[in-house]
Amino acid sequence: MWNSFFAICLRCGIASRSWVWSLKMARCICRIWRSVMFNLRKSNSKLYDQNTFDNQFMCDLRKAQKSVIVESPFLRTARVEKFIPTFHRLKKRGVEILLNTKPPEEHDGTYRLQAQESLSLLQSSGVEVLFTVKHHRKLAIIDREIIYEGSLNILSYRDSCEIMRRTTSALEAEMLIDFIGLNKFMEVK
C-alpha cells in the first residue's frame, strides 16, 4: 500500500514536498479509505431466530402506517389469536393488511380445521386474504419498506428452529412485491 501511495505521490509531484507532509497525506488517505470500506460493509439487514423474532416483528407491526403484507402458508389458531388485537388496531388506523396463504383444501385433517378457524378470525379482523396454490413462502413486508424473509411461518410458528432476516429498503420491498406478483391483485399502499 505504501509503495503505491508513494508512486501516486511521485506522479502527482507531491514527493517533492516534505516527508512529514507526505506522511500526513498518507494517513488522511488511509482514514478516508477505511471510512469508505466500513460504510460499504454496513448492512441494512439483521438476522433473528425463533427466540428473537417476535419482539422485533411486533414492534415493527405496531408502527405500521400504510400496509402490512404477510405470506404464511400455514395457519395455527393459537398463533393467529396473538396477532388479532394488533390487526384490529392497525385496521382502525387505516392500515391495509393482506395475507397470502395456501388454500385450506391443501391442508390435512387437523391443520385444515386450524386454517379455516384462523382464516375466519383474520377475515373478521379486516385482513384481506389471497390464496396461492402450493404456497410455501414465509415473508412479511411492512409499509413497503421493512422486509422479513426466512423459514419462520409467521402465523403458525410454534416450537422449531427458524431464521428470519429483517431488511429495511423501500427499493428491495418494491422489487419483492413485483417479483411475487402482488401488484396484480391489489393496490398495496
Side-chain angles (χ1 to χ4, degrees):
M1 180 174 149
W2 291 110
N3 289 341
S4 56
F5 169 73
F6 287 116
I8 292 168
C9 289
L10 283 171
R11 274 191 230 127
C12 297
I14 298 172
S16 60
R17 299 188 185 202
S18 75
W19 282 102
V20 174
W21 185 87
S22 295
L23 189 57
K24 285 181 182 177
M25 184 61 112
R27 287 183 182 142
C28 180
I29 290 171
C30 286
R31 275 195 303 272
I32 292 168
W33 181 81
R34 277 194 305 266
S35 171
V36 168
M37 292 310 293
F38 178 74
N39 286 335
L40 289 176
R41 290 184 187 138
K42 280 186 181 176
S43 175
N44 61 348
S45 72
K46 187 170 180 184
L47 294 173
Y48 295 89
D49 65 14
Q50 65 280 358
N51 300 316
T52 58
F53 170 77
D54 276 356
N55 287 339
Q56 182 62 53
F57 184 69
M58 290 303 277
C59 180
D60 287 335
L61 198 57
R62 287 186 201 105
K63 293 177 185 175
Q65 299 295 310
K66 300 174 190 166
S67 62
V68 174
I69 300 167
V70 175
E71 292 211 342
S72 184
F74 302 100
L75 306 171
R76 196 171 56 83
T77 308
R79 181 80 174 159
V80 167
E81 287 173 341
K82 180 178 179 175
F83 289 92
I84 295 298
T86 303
F87 288 160
H88 274 298
R89 285 191 292 277
L90 291 174
K91 290 303 291 180
K92 283 182 183 175
R93 289 200 329 247
V95 176
E96 295 292 323
I97 305 171
L98 172 68
L99 166 65
N100 190 10
T101 188
K102 62 172 39 181
E105 302 81 44
E106 289 188 18
H107 295 282
D108 295 327
T110 307
Y111 292 113
R112 181 176 296 169
L113 295 173
Q114 290 266 329
Q116 290 169 336
E117 188 176 334
S118 297
L119 287 167
S120 177
L121 286 169
L122 290 161
Q123 289 173 321
S124 67
S125 298
V127 174
E128 185 172 343
V129 179
L130 290 176
F131 296 106
T132 301
V133 175
K134 297 185 180 185
H135 184 276
H136 201 71
R137 293 185 299 256
K138 295 113 180 160
L139 60 91
I141 304 168
I142 300 173
D143 289 338
R144 288 184 169 241
E145 184 175 359
I146 299 171
I147 303 167
Y148 284 91
E149 51 191 341
S151 64
L152 191 143
N153 281 289
I154 296 169
L155 297 178
S156 72
Y157 165 75
R158 186 169 51 160
D159 185 28
S160 55
C161 185
E162 307 290 347
I163 187 170
M164 291 296 270
R165 178 182 299 275
R166 178 187 187 273
T167 305
T168 305
S169 170
L171 176 65
E172 289 184 40
E174 287 303 317
M175 287 171 46
L176 185 56
I177 290 167
D178 287 340
F179 184 80
I180 60 181
L182 288 181
N183 282 333
K184 296 177 196 172
F185 299 104
M186 69 172 289
E187 192 59 37
V188 182
K189 295 179 189 173

